[in-house]
Coordinates of all heavy atoms in Angstrom, one line a residue:
D1 N 5.6 -0.8 2.4 CA 6.4 -1.6 3.3 C 7.1 -2.7 2.5 O 6.5 -3.2 1.6 CB 5.5 -2.3 4.4 CG 6.3 -2.8 5.5 OD1 7.0 -3.8 5.4 OD2 6.3 -2.2 6.6
D2 N 8.4 -3.0 2.8 CA 9.1 -4.0 2.0 C 8.7 -5.4 2.3 O 9.0 -6.3 1.5 CB 10.6 -3.8 2.2 CG 11.1 -4.1 3.6 OD1 10.4 -3.6 4.6 OD2 12.0 -4.8 3.8
E3 N 8.0 -5.6 3.4 CA 7.5 -7.0 3.8 C 6.2 -7.3 3.2 O 5.2 -6.6 3.6 CB 7.6 -7.1 5.3 CG 9.0 -7.1 5.9 CD 8.9 -7.4 7.3 OE1 8.3 -8.4 7.8 OE2 9.6 -6.6 8.1
E4 N 6.1 -8.3 2.3 CA 4.9 -8.6 1.6 C 3.7 -9.0 2.6 O 2.6 -8.6 2.4 CB 5.1 -9.7 0.6 CG 3.8 -10.1 -0.2 CD 4.1 -11.1 -1.2 OE1 5.2 -11.7 -1.3 OE2 3.2 -11.4 -2.0
A5 N 4.1 -9.7 3.7 CA 3.1 -10.1 4.6 C 2.4 -8.9 5.3 O 1.2 -8.9 5.5 CB 3.7 -11.0 5.7
I6 N 3.2 -7.9 5.6 CA 2.7 -6.7 6.3 C 1.8 -6.0 5.3 O 0.7 -5.5 5.7 CB 3.8 -5.8 6.8 CG1 4.5 -6.4 8.0 CG2 3.3 -4.4 7.2 CD1 5.7 -5.7 8.5
R7 N 2.2 -5.8 4.0 CA 1.4 -5.2 3.0 C 0.0 -5.9 2.9 O -1.0 -5.3 2.8 CB 2.1 -5.1 1.7 CG 3.2 -4.2 1.6 CD 3.7 -4.0 0.2 NE 3.9 -5.2 -0.6 CZ 5.1 -5.8 -0.7 NH1 6.1 -5.4 0.0 NH2 5.2 -6.9 -1.5
D8 N 0.1 -7.2 2.8 CA -1.1 -8.0 2.6 C -2.1 -7.8 3.8 O -3.3 -7.6 3.6 CB -0.8 -9.5 2.5 CG -0.1 -9.8 1.2 OD1 -0.1 -9.0 0.2 OD2 0.4 -10.9 1.1
I9 N -1.6 -8.0 5.0 CA -2.4 -7.9 6.2 C -3.0 -6.4 6.4 O -4.2 -6.2 6.6 CB -1.7 -8.3 7.5 CG1 -1.4 -9.8 7.4 CG2 -2.4 -7.9 8.7 CD1 -0.4 -10.3 8.4
M10 N -2.1 -5.4 6.3 CA -2.6 -4.1 6.5 C -3.5 -3.6 5.3 O -4.5 -2.9 5.6 CB -1.4 -3.1 6.5 CG -0.6 -3.2 7.8 SD -1.5 -2.8 9.3 CE -1.8 -4.4 10.0
G11 N -3.2 -4.1 4.1 CA -4.1 -3.8 3.0 C -5.5 -4.3 3.3 O -6.5 -3.6 3.1
L12 N -5.6 -5.6 3.7 CA -6.9 -6.2 4.0 C -7.6 -5.5 5.1 O -8.8 -5.2 5.0 CB -6.6 -7.7 4.3 CG -7.9 -8.5 4.7 CD1 -8.8 -8.6 3.5 CD2 -7.5 -9.9 5.3
M13 N -6.9 -5.2 6.2 CA -7.6 -4.6 7.3 C -8.0 -3.1 7.0 O -9.1 -2.8 7.3 CB -6.6 -4.5 8.5 CG -6.4 -5.9 9.1 SD -5.3 -5.6 10.6 CE -5.2 -7.3 11.2
L14 N -7.2 -2.4 6.3 CA -7.6 -1.0 6.0 C -8.7 -1.0 5.0 O -9.7 -0.2 5.2 CB -6.4 -0.2 5.4 CG -5.3 0.1 6.4 CD1 -4.0 0.7 5.6 CD2 -5.8 1.2 7.4
R15 N -8.8 -1.9 4.1 CA -9.9 -2.0 3.1 C -11.2 -2.3 3.9 O -12.3 -1.8 3.6 CB -9.6 -2.9 2.0 CG -8.6 -2.4 1.0 CD -8.4 -3.4 -0.1 NE -7.3 -2.9 -1.0 CZ -6.0 -3.3 -0.9 NH1 -5.7 -4.3 -0.1 NH2 -5.1 -2.7 -1.7
R16 N -11.1 -3.3 4.8 CA -12.3 -3.7 5.6 C -12.8 -2.5 6.4 O -14.0 -2.5 6.7 CB -11.9 -4.8 6.5 CG -11.8 -6.1 5.7 CD -11.7 -7.3 6.6 NE -13.1 -7.5 7.2 CZ -13.3 -8.3 8.3 NH1 -12.3 -8.9 8.9 NH2 -14.5 -8.4 8.8
L17 N -11.9 -1.6 6.8 CA -12.3 -0.4 7.6 C -12.7 0.7 6.7 O -12.9 1.8 7.3 CB -11.2 -0.1 8.6 CG -10.9 -1.1 9.6 CD1 -9.7 -0.8 10.4 CD2 -12.1 -1.2 10.6
G18 N -12.8 0.6 5.4 CA -13.3 1.6 4.6 C -12.3 2.5 3.9 O -12.7 3.5 3.3
F19 N -11.0 2.1 3.9 CA -10.0 2.9 3.2 C -9.8 2.4 1.8 O -9.9 1.2 1.6 CB -8.7 2.9 3.9 CG -8.7 3.7 5.2 CD1 -9.0 3.0 6.4 CD2 -8.4 5.0 5.3 CE1 -9.1 3.7 7.6 CE2 -8.4 5.7 6.5 CZ -8.7 5.1 7.6
S20 N -9.5 3.2 0.9 CA -9.1 2.8 -0.5 C -7.5 2.8 -0.4 O -6.9 3.9 0.0 CB -9.5 3.8 -1.5 OG -9.0 3.5 -2.8
V21 N -6.9 1.7 -0.6 CA -5.5 1.5 -0.3 C -4.7 1.1 -1.6 O -5.1 0.2 -2.3 CB -5.2 0.5 0.8 CG1 -3.8 0.5 1.2 CG2 -6.1 0.8 2.0
T22 N -3.6 1.7 -1.8 CA -2.6 1.2 -2.8 C -1.4 0.7 -2.0 O -0.9 1.5 -1.1 CB -2.2 2.3 -3.7 OG1 -3.4 2.8 -4.4 CG2 -1.2 1.8 -4.7
M23 N -0.9 -0.5 -2.3 CA 0.2 -1.1 -1.6 C 1.4 -1.1 -2.5 O 1.3 -1.5 -3.7 CB -0.1 -2.5 -1.1 CG -1.4 -2.6 -0.4 SD -1.5 -1.6 1.1 CE -0.6 -2.6 2.2
V24 N 2.6 -0.7 -2.0 CA 3.8 -0.7 -2.7 C 5.0 -1.2 -1.8 O 4.9 -1.2 -0.6 CB 4.2 0.6 -3.3 CG1 3.1 1.1 -4.3 CG2 4.3 1.7 -2.2
A25 N 6.0 -1.7 -2.5 CA 7.1 -2.4 -1.7 C 8.3 -1.5 -1.4 O 9.0 -1.8 -0.4 CB 7.7 -3.6 -2.5
D26 N 8.5 -0.3 -2.1 CA 9.6 0.6 -1.7 C 9.2 2.0 -2.1 O 8.2 2.3 -2.7 CB 10.9 0.1 -2.2 CG 11.2 0.4 -3.7 OD1 10.3 0.9 -4.4 OD2 12.3 0.2 -4.1
G27 N 10.2 2.9 -1.8 CA 10.0 4.3 -2.0 C 9.8 4.7 -3.5 O 9.1 5.6 -3.8
R28 N 10.6 4.0 -4.3 CA 10.5 4.3 -5.8 C 9.0 4.0 -6.3 O 8.5 4.9 -7.0 CB 11.4 3.4 -6.6 CG 12.8 4.0 -6.8 CD 13.6 3.1 -7.7 NE 15.0 3.1 -7.2 CZ 15.4 2.1 -6.4 NH1 14.7 1.1 -6.1 NH2 16.7 2.2 -5.9
E29 N 8.5 2.9 -5.9 CA 7.1 2.6 -6.2 C 6.1 3.6 -5.6 O 5.1 3.9 -6.3 CB 6.7 1.2 -5.8 CG 7.4 0.1 -6.6 CD 7.1 -1.3 -6.0 OE1 5.9 -1.5 -5.7 OE2 7.9 -2.2 -6.0
A30 N 6.4 4.0 -4.4 CA 5.5 5.0 -3.7 C 5.5 6.3 -4.5 O 4.4 6.9 -4.7 CB 6.0 5.2 -2.3
V31 N 6.7 6.8 -4.9 CA 6.8 8.0 -5.6 C 6.0 7.9 -7.0 O 5.3 8.8 -7.3 CB 8.2 8.5 -5.8 CG1 8.3 9.7 -6.7 CG2 8.8 8.8 -4.4
T32 N 6.2 6.8 -7.7 CA 5.5 6.6 -8.9 C 4.0 6.6 -8.7 O 3.3 7.3 -9.5 CB 6.0 5.3 -9.6 OG1 7.4 5.4 -9.9 CG2 5.3 5.0 -10.9
A33 N 3.5 5.8 -7.8 CA 2.1 5.7 -7.5 C 1.5 7.1 -7.1 O 0.4 7.5 -7.5 CB 1.8 4.7 -6.5
F34 N 2.3 7.8 -6.3 CA 1.8 9.1 -5.8 C 1.7 10.1 -7.0 O 0.7 10.8 -7.1 CB 2.9 9.6 -4.8 CG 2.4 10.8 -4.0 CD1 1.6 10.6 -2.9 CD2 2.8 12.1 -4.4 CE1 1.2 11.8 -2.2 CE2 2.4 13.2 -3.6 CZ 1.6 13.0 -2.5
G35 N 2.7 10.1 -7.9 CA 2.7 11.0 -9.1 C 1.5 10.6 -10.0 O 0.9 11.5 -10.5
V36 N 1.3 9.3 -10.2 CA 0.2 8.9 -11.1 C -1.2 9.4 -10.5 O -2.0 9.8 -11.2 CB 0.2 7.4 -11.3 CG1 -1.1 6.9 -11.9 CG2 1.4 7.0 -12.1
A37 N -1.3 9.2 -9.2 CA -2.6 9.6 -8.5 C -2.8 11.1 -8.7 O -3.9 11.5 -8.9 CB -2.5 9.2 -7.0
I38 N -1.8 11.9 -8.5 CA -1.9 13.4 -8.7 C -2.3 13.7 -10.2 O -3.2 14.5 -10.4 CB -0.6 14.1 -8.3 CG1 -0.4 14.0 -6.8 CG2 -0.6 15.5 -8.8 CD1 0.9 14.6 -6.3
A39 N -1.6 13.0 -11.1 CA -1.9 13.3 -12.5 C -3.3 12.9 -12.9 O -4.0 13.6 -13.7 CB -0.9 12.5 -13.4

């Protein structure tokens, strides 16, 4: 999500609910993080 406040809140909530979460600001970062995770 491009909004930092949304990333911060959703990251905190999802982690509290037991998810392992990576937060990114745009699609380029998402593709990079996704590729690294696969590798």
Side-chain angles (χ1 to χ4, degrees):
D1 196 288
D2 65 313
E3 293 185 46
E4 185 176 5
I6 291 175
R7 290 192 311 270
D8 290 346
I9 292 168
M10 289 297 106
L12 178 65
M13 289 184 178
L14 288 169
R15 286 181 186 102
R16 286 191 70 196
L17 292 171
F19 290 90
S20 173
V21 186
T22 300
M23 309 303 281
V24 296
D26 81 350
R28 269 186 223 96
E29 290 179 38
V31 172
T32 298
F34 193 83
V36 167
I38 289 173

